[in-house]
Amino acid sequence: AQTVTQSQPEMSVQEAETVTLSCTYDTSENNYYLFWYKQPPSRQMILVIRQEAYKQQNATENRFSVNFQKAAKSFSLKISDSQLGDTAMYFCAFMKQRNSGGSNYKLTFGKGTLLTVNP
Amino acid sequence: EAGVAQSPRYKIIEKRQSVAFWCNPISGHATLYWYQQILGQGPKLLIQFQNNGVVDDSQLPKDRFSAERLKGVDSTLKIQPAKLEDSAVYLCASSFNRANTDTQYFGPGTRLTVL
């Protein structure tokens, strides 16, 4: 079974600064995807960024980027130029291919990191 | 493009009562998921549908939870009878089920409180 660990229950950062959220995972799979989801206080889960395990290049989406270390099974999220609207719970999630012939995937989530951006 | 719709947004019931949640996925999305998110934890998959068939319900407490997806579009999740530990947010998600791009999109959730 896959596990996802987020070791930082809470973090805070000053507006305009950079913050990095940690995530490690455990799997025996070789083909999988990793995600960071954001859940603001309104509770709508929003996709932040996605990384394919077969890609060596780290994914980036505007102010959000990841540091994917496949051998170390590490997948951290860096938020640059933090904004007040970035305040939310951030979840790291893992998705493996359920079977070789299909495309049905199951998301396994970490427990989340509550990020607060201070003015 | 309309997102995943869920209703109701909030529900308060007493233990041993029944409750039902409704989900309408993004148009064209073949795969639909129900997750349970207990306060302070990440979401946990309860059941996954591919069109109107069940793909995975291994973590669904089948003695009290049931779900259906008639006609492969809308879905309902029912709890009967509810227990105190069922208090959680129930999230519905959908995905297009296209190989290598199976990103899941979530609805706003239904917050259930069992008293």
Side-chain angles (χ1 to χ4, degrees):
Chain A
Q2 283 62 233
T3 59
V4 177
T5 302
Q6 293 179 250
S7 58
Q8 305 150 315
E10 295 186 35
M11 294 190 71
S12 63
V13 64
Q14 291 299 120
E15 197 174 5
E17 293 188 345
T18 296
V19 64
T20 299
L21 309 183
S22 302
C23 173
T24 58
Y25 59 94
D26 187 26
T27 184
S28 58
E29 300 288 332
N30 192 48
N31 297 317
Y32 53 88
Y33 302 89
L34 295 163
F35 302 84
W36 279 98
Y37 279 90
K38 167 185 177 182
Q39 192 175 41
S42 66
R43 303 202 75 85
Q44 180 93 39
M45 191 84 75
I46 303 166
L47 177 68
V48 175
I49 200 165
R50 161 196 171 109
Q51 173 79 43
E52 291 85 348
Y54 63 85
K55 288 186 178 179
Q56 292 187 336
Q57 186 173 6
N58 290 323
T60 62
E61 282 290 338
N62 300 315
R63 298 183 295 107
F64 300 87
S65 62
V66 299
N67 182 5
F68 174 48
Q69 302 289 329
K70 190 173 183 180
K73 297 180 180 176
S74 171
F75 183 61
S76 61
L77 173 70
K78 186 173 80 171
I79 306 174
S80 304
D81 187 25
S82 296
Q83 301 175 1
L84 297 178
D86 295 333
T87 292
M89 184 72 85
Y90 287 81
F91 290 98
C92 178
F94 172 100
M95 175 187 281
K96 72 176 181 74
Q97 188 165 352
R98 186 176 302 280
N99 56 68
S100 59
S103 57
N104 299 315
Y105 298 88
K106 172 183 176 179
L107 272 174
T108 299
F109 286 87
K111 289 189 174 183
T113 296
L114 178 61
L115 175 68
T116 302
V117 180
N118 299 309
Chain B
E1 176 182 82
V4 177
Q6 289 188 248
S7 67
R9 292 294 309 276
Y10 304 91
K11 190 74 176 179
I12 300 174
I13 62 173
E14 294 187 349
K15 61 182 179 182
R16 292 188 289 273
Q17 286 187 326
S18 302
V19 64
F21 313 128
W22 173 83
C23 173
N24 180 243
I26 293 172
S27 178
H29 281 196
T31 310
L32 185 147
Y33 310 79
W34 282 102
Y35 289 87
Q36 180 191 59
Q37 185 178 18
I38 294 173
L39 185 65
Q41 299 182 19
K44 180 187 79 172
L45 180 70
L46 291 175
I47 188 167
Q48 176 186 348
F49 291 94
Q50 177 75 16
N51 295 308
N52 61 350
V54 175
V55 173
D56 184 352
D57 63 356
S58 59
Q59 296 193 82
L60 187 72
K62 299 181 187 61
D63 58 333
R64 298 183 300 105
F65 286 66
S66 64
E68 61 181 10
R69 191 184 183 196
L70 300 176
K71 301 181 181 179
V73 182
D74 293 6
S75 176
T76 56
L77 175 69
K78 297 179 181 178
I79 307 175
Q80 180 181 7
K83 293 185 175 182
L84 296 177
E85 59 261 36
D86 297 333
S87 293
V89 175
Y90 291 85
L91 297 167
C92 180
S94 69
S95 64
F96 192 70
N97 196 37
R98 183 172 56 200
N100 297 327
T101 59
D102 199 32
T103 297
Q104 296 181 27
Y105 297 90
F106 286 81
T110 297
R111 181 185 294 274
L112 174 67
T113 302
V114 182
L115 303 176

